[in-house]
Amino acid sequence: IRRKIMNLAKGLDVLKISSNVFGEDKVMYIPVIYTEDDATLIDTGLPGQGDLIIDALNKSNTSFDRLKNIIITHHDIDHIGNINYLREKSKNNIKVYAYKSEISYITGEETPFKLYMLEQMVDKIDDKMLSMLNVMGLGFKSSYTKVDVSLDNHEKLNLGEEIEVIHTGGHTRGHICLYLKESKVLIAGDLLQVENGELKPVDVMYSNKQELKDAIKNISNYDIETIVFSHGGLYQRNIIGTLKNLIIE
């Protein structure tokens, strides 16, 4: 498995975590914001990727032993999958941040949205989807965890450089993006993805299209030079024009 670290800006690396998911090679792009003393991870990949993340952190411009914070963009299993593992392995008391309306899914008080949707369709789905549902169900059970900090829209965090929390919804109810003003970088989670160089919604089936449209319109007002998506990685060309002209079917 090739592991790559990209340095995007002063105090910002992106970890490229590759693994095989249901027979498909998948890559997750996981940003890490750091100072000399602290590191903040944005999302944590799928269950089982914890050691890959620790290893990548240790090869980056920071290290696992400096990891003090984890910010979750949304509650999907490929984003919350290693919070518990990283907490167990760390000597630090890692703080977890999430948007206020996303917390009950991360703690397991509410059934995660996709799990709930698949459970409703259990009689109609094929064997592959059924095995996916079972794996997902087990994955979520092992991933539920406490959240230390509840985030609000437009809240500013100082974890290195100033980070603005932007609530977008769309992909999930409490999905957020993070805007790094100084670096002009938007960490966009699963708001969209890059596929063959094009921006597309991640999951049309579950997305709230109106929220997604509104969020994209809102984000196109920010001064952005690079967007980091969890799936597809970096997008750097004609960002504002592309966002303004993006059609969500």
Side-chain angles (χ1 to χ4, degrees), residues 195-207:
E195 204 178 79
N196 305 321
E198 301 293 316
L199 292 186
K200 298 196 164 110
V202 173
D203 217 334
V204 182
M205 181 172 156
Y206 303 111
S207 291

Side-chain angles (χ1 to χ4, degrees), residues 104-121:
S104 57
Y105 298 118
I106 299 168
T107 59
E109 286 163 70
E110 271 188 88
T111 304
F113 186 54
K114 281 184 194 160
L115 196 58
Y116 173 78
M117 294 290 281
L118 282 171
E119 283 169 355
Q120 302 308 301
M121 293 158 37

Side-chain angles (χ1 to χ4, degrees), residues 67-71 87 93-97 148-149:
L67 183 63
K68 309 267 176 75
N69 307 295
I70 294 170
I71 303 175
R87 271 180 160 158
N93 183 9
I94 294 176
K95 264 191 189 169
V96 174
Y97 298 67
D148 305 285
V149 183

Side-chain angles (χ1 to χ4, degrees), residues 59-153:
K59 291 191 167 99
S60 76
N61 289 300
T62 182
S63 59
F64 176 59
D65 61 12
R66 289 182 210 159
L67 183 63
K68 309 267 176 75
N69 307 295
I70 294 170
I71 303 175
I72 297 298
T73 61
H74 63 294
H75 74 271
D76 281 345
I77 193 64
D78 53 342
H79 295 261
I80 69 167
N82 295 292
I83 302 173
N84 286 328
Y85 186 80
L86 296 171
R87 271 180 160 158
E88 276 159 31
K89 291 279 177 191
S90 175
K91 61 182 191 338
N92 302 324
N93 183 9
I94 294 176
K95 264 191 189 169
V96 174
Y97 298 67
Y99 194 70
K100 56 189 174 186
S101 58
E102 206 74 350
I103 291 174
S104 57
Y105 298 118
I106 299 168
T107 59
E109 286 163 70
E110 271 188 88
T111 304
F113 186 54
K114 281 184 194 160
L115 196 58
Y116 173 78
M117 294 290 281
L118 282 171
E119 283 169 355
Q120 302 308 301
M121 293 158 37
V122 76
D123 303 333
K124 304 185 194 70
I125 57 180
D126 60 21
D127 288 351
K128 189 182 173 189
M129 284 295 269
L130 197 60
S131 73
M132 204 165 134
L133 172 62
N134 290 331
V135 170
M136 200 192 265
L138 290 169
F140 270 117
K141 270 200 183 73
S142 71
S143 301
Y144 294 139
T145 191
K146 77 176 169 72
V147 174
D148 305 285
V149 183
S150 168
L151 298 172
D152 276 309
N153 198 19

Side-chain angles (χ1 to χ4, degrees), residues 127-244:
D127 288 351
K128 189 182 173 189
M129 284 295 269
L130 197 60
S131 73
M132 204 165 134
L133 172 62
N134 290 331
V135 170
M136 200 192 265
L138 290 169
F140 270 117
K141 270 200 183 73
S142 71
S143 301
Y144 294 139
T145 191
K146 77 176 169 72
V147 174
D148 305 285
V149 183
S150 168
L151 298 172
D152 276 309
N153 198 19
H154 302 303
E155 187 171 332
K156 306 273 201 314
L157 302 171
N158 267 318
L159 298 166
E161 68 170 280
E162 189 181 270
I163 302 163
E164 182 183 345
V165 175
I166 305 170
H167 174 243
T168 63
H171 182 70
T172 66
R173 186 168 77 183
H175 186 287
I176 55 171
C177 292
L178 301 170
Y179 178 59
L180 283 58
K181 193 175 170 181
E182 210 177 315
S183 307
K184 298 185 180 181
V185 171
L186 184 78
I187 296 170
D190 282 3
L191 181 73
L192 297 163
Q193 64 180 334
V194 186
E195 204 178 79
N196 305 321
E198 301 293 316
L199 292 186
K200 298 196 164 110
V202 173
D203 217 334
V204 182
M205 181 172 156
Y206 303 111
S207 291
N208 179 322
K209 288 181 198 142
Q210 195 51 53
E211 276 184 5
L212 200 53
K213 285 177 186 171
D214 293 344
I216 289 163
K217 197 172 159 185
N218 174 29
I219 277 164
S220 66
N221 295 314
Y222 284 76
D223 183 9
I224 302 166
E225 287 176 3
T226 302
I227 307 185
V228 186
F229 293 105
S230 302
H231 306 286
L234 307 189
Y235 193 88
Q236 293 173 306
R237 55 169 211 273
N238 185 20
I239 288 171
I240 305 308
T242 305
L243 289 174
K244 286 199 151 109

